[in-house]
Amino acid sequence: MNSSTQMRLNVVPSYNENYVVTKHPDEAPLSRVFDLLWDFSGQEKTRVNGGSVISFKAVDEAFRADIQSTLAFLSKMYKELEGELASLSQVMSWKLGLSHIMLVNKNADWASFSDDRVYKIFKVKLKKHIQESKLSETTANNIITVLNLFNKSGLCVIKVNGLEITGWVVKEVEQHIAIPISMYQRIIASALETVETYHPYRYIMNDAQAELEKIYLEENERRDATRPVYTFNNRINSRIMALSNGIPNFRLTRDGRELGRIQLSCAIVCLAFSGVRFGELASMNKDSYKEIGGNKIPTLRGEETKRNGQVIQETWQTSEVAKDALELAHDMTQFLRDTYEEKNNDDLRGGLVSTQVYAHRARQITSAFLSLKASAVKSNYCIQDMSRKFNSFIQSSGFLATQADVEEFNRLNPSREGQLKIGGTLPKLTAHDFRRSFAVFFKRYGFGSATTIKFQYKHSNLQMSNYYANNASLQAMEDVLMDHELLEKMNKEGIEMGVDIFDDIFNKSETLSGAGGERIAEDKFKQLQDGHKVYMSREEIKALVSNGTLSVVKLPTGGYCMNTKCSRVCGIGQFAGEIKPCEHQVVTDKEAKVILRQNKRLIQSFRDMNTGDPMMNSILIGMKQKILRNELTIKKHNLRYEEFYDVVKGVMDIKEV
């Protein structure tokens, strides 16, 4: 045994069954140490769609008492050391980590770990358990936390090497999915169409569903056991035929299936246009949408669930479409809200729930996203998770992956490479995948950052300019920013986007044009001649992007600017605004194809406007300059195009740019 363990070590007490582990606000006992459920509802406010209990029902009876006693002791010591009660989520993670430690050690003699030999043998067994059970890094971290708590609470004296333990994990951590943009657009478009279709009918749907329930109860009371079941069903069906009131493609049901597909679309719209977690969305109702400030910035207000274990109010920027989605989800289920409120009141009057549980369920009832099958609801009145519904929707949607989708999926999700096949559907999705997809979309497709909005180019789309302006206003209102983790995700996506761009510039593009591109191409040619396989590896690029050595701005109409401090307008509108081309501009093969598509649109616009009106001459001349300059770039990349020879009617032809 170590010399350091000569100090007196604590031992987990042999608790009697009346030892209290959680209490009501008035200090009355709520849960006792060997109860199968530890109820935390009297000690903390949990997220709206979350539970308040830790269950020990699935724990092996051979270890259950030791695990519960150890957790009770660790919770007591935590309060003494930290001056506050351990939270539900903390005790839950301790329970998970301790369960694995017990499976390996088979007993609760924690003092024996102070013996180097015993602890070494334990670690050998723990490594085997982690690898054979294919535990995740999260579970390994739970184990590390408990071992550290053993130290802090004086149960043993050990050296906990967290990096060593997490190093034993062989299961690769898969990041949340970033959905390829074309598939993402189709998913959102479908959800928006559903919201747009049913929003005007939300009150009619609610009234019809309420009437359906009333009819069912009435017919059930007059049901005659001597008559066939189909007689009962026919009476119900004949009465509900007139209830649909012209609602398109909607069938009244009591199982929530029809409302479920609409509710799912409402959730997708809100998630896709805000980046909130589903637990945060569950805290929202139709009053959560607010337009703030003189610019009437659309925002969602809800309970954030990941701020130091506390439930706090947070605000996310969103789009106006979230208003209709929340109204639809909320108003079409008011009949259920009325039912659940009555049940919750009855349970309180009957003493079936505590005042804390009653208050928690009352919060759930205010949610726009209620559980839709009332007969199956036992305790939670709002949706806990929508992952199954997401995946059913994806599988039945017909949104099949193209070659471009697969390539983008592999690039955005390297830990999941190969999971999306050409002609296949997306892998299993969770609500959090929409959160990451939001961050990717926000960073990679022109929205900048919620805290750093730079006007580096003009916008022909007024609506997009307003979006930028709203973001700039948000920056000045610190209490109306997106949550910290989402901003961090955006920053990470910004780095990954930079790595992708520079990898395209340095390694993938056969031809580089633009003044900046030509300089890189010359240097790249020399380096490859010297035997290098790539100009710069992705790891090298990532290091330089992360420390700020490499930076780039992606121009929305094709190409990149290598000078992020540049304030000039690089002719990205309908006509070239500069005489001398920018010396920092880089165009890759991929971006040249973007410019080719842009040029086709410019040519069509030119021809539509070229009617001979002298008031349009200046604009048309500028557009032609831009078209011809684009052709020079397109030609350098050996792309097929139809040369532009149109003339501005009534004006001497331009031969050169």
Side-chain angles (χ1 to χ4, degrees), residues 1-9 111-117 156-159:
M1 183 172 289
N2 300 327
S3 59
S4 61
T5 62
Q6 292 177 359
M7 59 183 285
R8 181 178 177 84
L9 294 175
S112 68
F113 280 11
S114 297
D115 186 317
D116 288 341
R117 183 181 59 83
C156 60
V157 178
I158 54 179
K159 292 181 180 179

Side-chain angles (χ1 to χ4, degrees), residues 98-118:
L98 184 58
S99 297
H100 286 285
I101 292 173
M102 283 293 298
L103 284 173
V104 173
N105 202 55
K106 307 299 183 186
N107 66 71
D109 181 12
W110 310 124
S112 68
F113 280 11
S114 297
D115 186 317
D116 288 341
R117 183 181 59 83
V118 173

Side-chain angles (χ1 to χ4, degrees), residues 130 136-138 140-141 144 161-170:
I130 287 174
S136 68
E137 188 172 332
T138 299
N141 282 325
I144 294 166
N161 187 335
L163 291 176
E164 177 187 35
I165 294 174
T166 54
W168 298 336
V169 175
V170 295

Side-chain angles (χ1 to χ4, degrees), residues 382-580:
C382 68
I383 293 287
Q384 305 299 293
D385 180 39
M386 296 193 96
S387 296
R388 183 180 59 81
K389 290 184 178 180
F390 284 135
N391 290 293
S392 296
F393 169 75
I394 295 297
Q395 294 298 320
S396 62
S397 64
F399 301 151
L400 304 181
T402 64
Q403 177 70 42
D405 292 331
V406 172
E407 290 175 359
E408 184 177 3
F409 180 90
N410 291 338
R411 184 172 68 253
L412 295 176
N413 307 282
S415 67
R416 296 176 175 272
E417 184 169 355
Q419 291 186 11
L420 181 63
K421 309 293 185 184
I422 297 174
T425 57
L426 287 163
K428 186 177 179 181
L429 287 180
T430 66
H432 210 82
D433 295 321
F434 283 92
R435 183 170 170 85
R436 178 161 184 250
S437 297
F438 173 85
V440 169
F441 181 79
F442 202 96
K443 288 297 292 187
R444 292 178 180 249
Y445 299 98
F447 291 104
S449 162
T451 55
T452 55
I453 302 301
K454 296 180 180 179
F455 293 89
Q456 295 203 23
Y457 37 77
K458 61 188 178 185
H459 306 285
S460 58
N461 185 319
L462 180 60
Q463 195 171 24
M464 188 62 70
S465 294
N466 287 338
Y467 196 97
Y468 273 91
N470 287 347
N471 270 289
S473 299
L474 276 180
Q475 185 181 352
M477 303 169 64
E478 293 184 1
D479 61 329
V480 196
L481 291 177
M482 296 176 188
D483 63 86
H484 174 76
E485 186 195 84
L486 188 56
L487 292 172
E488 186 62 29
K489 281 180 179 287
M490 291 179 188
N491 290 335
K492 289 181 180 179
E493 291 301 336
I495 291 173
E496 292 300 322
M497 178 177 68
V499 173
D500 286 345
I501 288 173
F502 281 110
D503 192 35
D504 182 33
I505 293 171
F506 292 152
N507 302 319
K508 293 182 178 179
S509 186
E510 293 184 7
T511 303
L512 294 173
S513 61
E518 290 171 0
R519 287 196 303 274
I520 294 172
E522 184 177 353
D523 189 44
K524 175 180 173 181
F525 179 74
K526 291 178 181 177
Q527 187 160 319
L528 295 179
Q529 270 194 325
D530 292 337
H532 293 272
K533 291 185 178 179
V534 293
Y535 181 78
M536 194 180 297
S537 70
R538 283 187 68 91
E539 291 74 19
E540 292 172 318
I541 293 171
K542 188 168 187 176
L544 294 174
V545 171
S546 298
N547 66 27
T549 302
L550 288 178
S551 55
V552 67
V553 171
K554 187 179 187 300
L555 304 177
T557 50
Y560 308 103
C561 178
M562 302 290 282
N563 179 15
T564 54
K565 295 180 180 179
C566 181
S567 60
R568 65 184 286 177
V569 177
C570 292
I572 67 164
Q574 288 191 321
F575 44 92
E578 68 283 339
I579 299 174
K580 181 182 178 182

Side-chain angles (χ1 to χ4, degrees), residues 603 606-607 610 624 627-628 642-649 653-654:
I603 290 171
F606 177 94
R607 288 171 176 165
N610 192 16
K624 182 162 185 176
I627 292 168
L628 295 177
E642 183 179 341
E643 291 193 35
F644 183 71
Y645 294 109
D646 292 27
V647 298
V648 178
K649 295 180 179 179
D653 191 19
I654 302 171

Side-chain angles (χ1 to χ4, degrees), residues 233-432:
N233 291 335
N234 286 341
R235 283 205 309 266
I236 290 180
N237 291 334
S238 64
R239 292 186 64 183
I240 66 174
M241 285 291 289
L243 293 179
S244 61
N245 289 312
I247 305 170
N249 301 315
F250 182 80
R251 187 166 63 90
L252 291 167
T253 66
R254 296 185 70 240
D255 59 10
R257 279 179 297 176
E258 286 289 280
L259 291 177
R261 67 181 176 89
I262 300 172
Q263 184 188 64
L264 176 64
S265 291
C266 295
I268 289 175
V269 168
C270 293
L271 293 170
F273 286 96
S274 68
V276 299
R277 303 176 184 89
F278 185 74
E280 293 154 353
L281 179 61
S283 74
M284 298 178 189
N285 53 48
K286 66 178 181 179
D287 296 324
S288 299
Y289 177 90
K290 301 290 183 185
E291 294 182 354
I292 298 176
N295 288 327
K296 294 189 175 181
I297 304 161
T299 63
L300 294 177
R301 186 79 170 168
E303 295 179 353
E304 190 186 353
T305 58
K306 294 288 186 179
R307 189 74 65 88
N308 298 324
Q310 303 296 316
V311 175
I312 65 168
Q313 288 290 314
E314 184 59 277
T315 301
W316 294 263
Q317 187 183 353
T318 188
S319 165
E320 293 90 340
V321 296
K323 179 178 185 291
D324 285 355
L326 283 176
E327 286 179 347
L328 174 57
H330 189 278
D331 291 336
M332 74 179 186
T333 55
Q334 184 59 45
F335 74 101
L336 286 169
R337 199 165 287 106
D338 296 338
T339 299
Y340 294 153
E341 186 172 4
E342 182 179 352
K343 182 179 185 302
N344 198 34
N345 290 334
D346 289 344
D347 287 347
L348 180 65
R349 284 192 292 266
L352 299 178
V353 297
S354 66
T355 55
Q356 291 77 40
V357 172
Y358 170 82
H360 179 70
R361 293 181 181 175
R363 286 169 61 217
Q364 291 184 326
I365 293 169
T366 66
S367 173
F369 296 91
L370 295 177
S371 296
L372 298 176
K373 191 174 181 180
S375 60
V377 171
K378 297 293 187 292
S379 58
N380 291 303
Y381 293 134
C382 68
I383 293 287
Q384 305 299 293
D385 180 39
M386 296 193 96
S387 296
R388 183 180 59 81
K389 290 184 178 180
F390 284 135
N391 290 293
S392 296
F393 169 75
I394 295 297
Q395 294 298 320
S396 62
S397 64
F399 301 151
L400 304 181
T402 64
Q403 177 70 42
D405 292 331
V406 172
E407 290 175 359
E408 184 177 3
F409 180 90
N410 291 338
R411 184 172 68 253
L412 295 176
N413 307 282
S415 67
R416 296 176 175 272
E417 184 169 355
Q419 291 186 11
L420 181 63
K421 309 293 185 184
I422 297 174
T425 57
L426 287 163
K428 186 177 179 181
L429 287 180
T430 66
H432 210 82

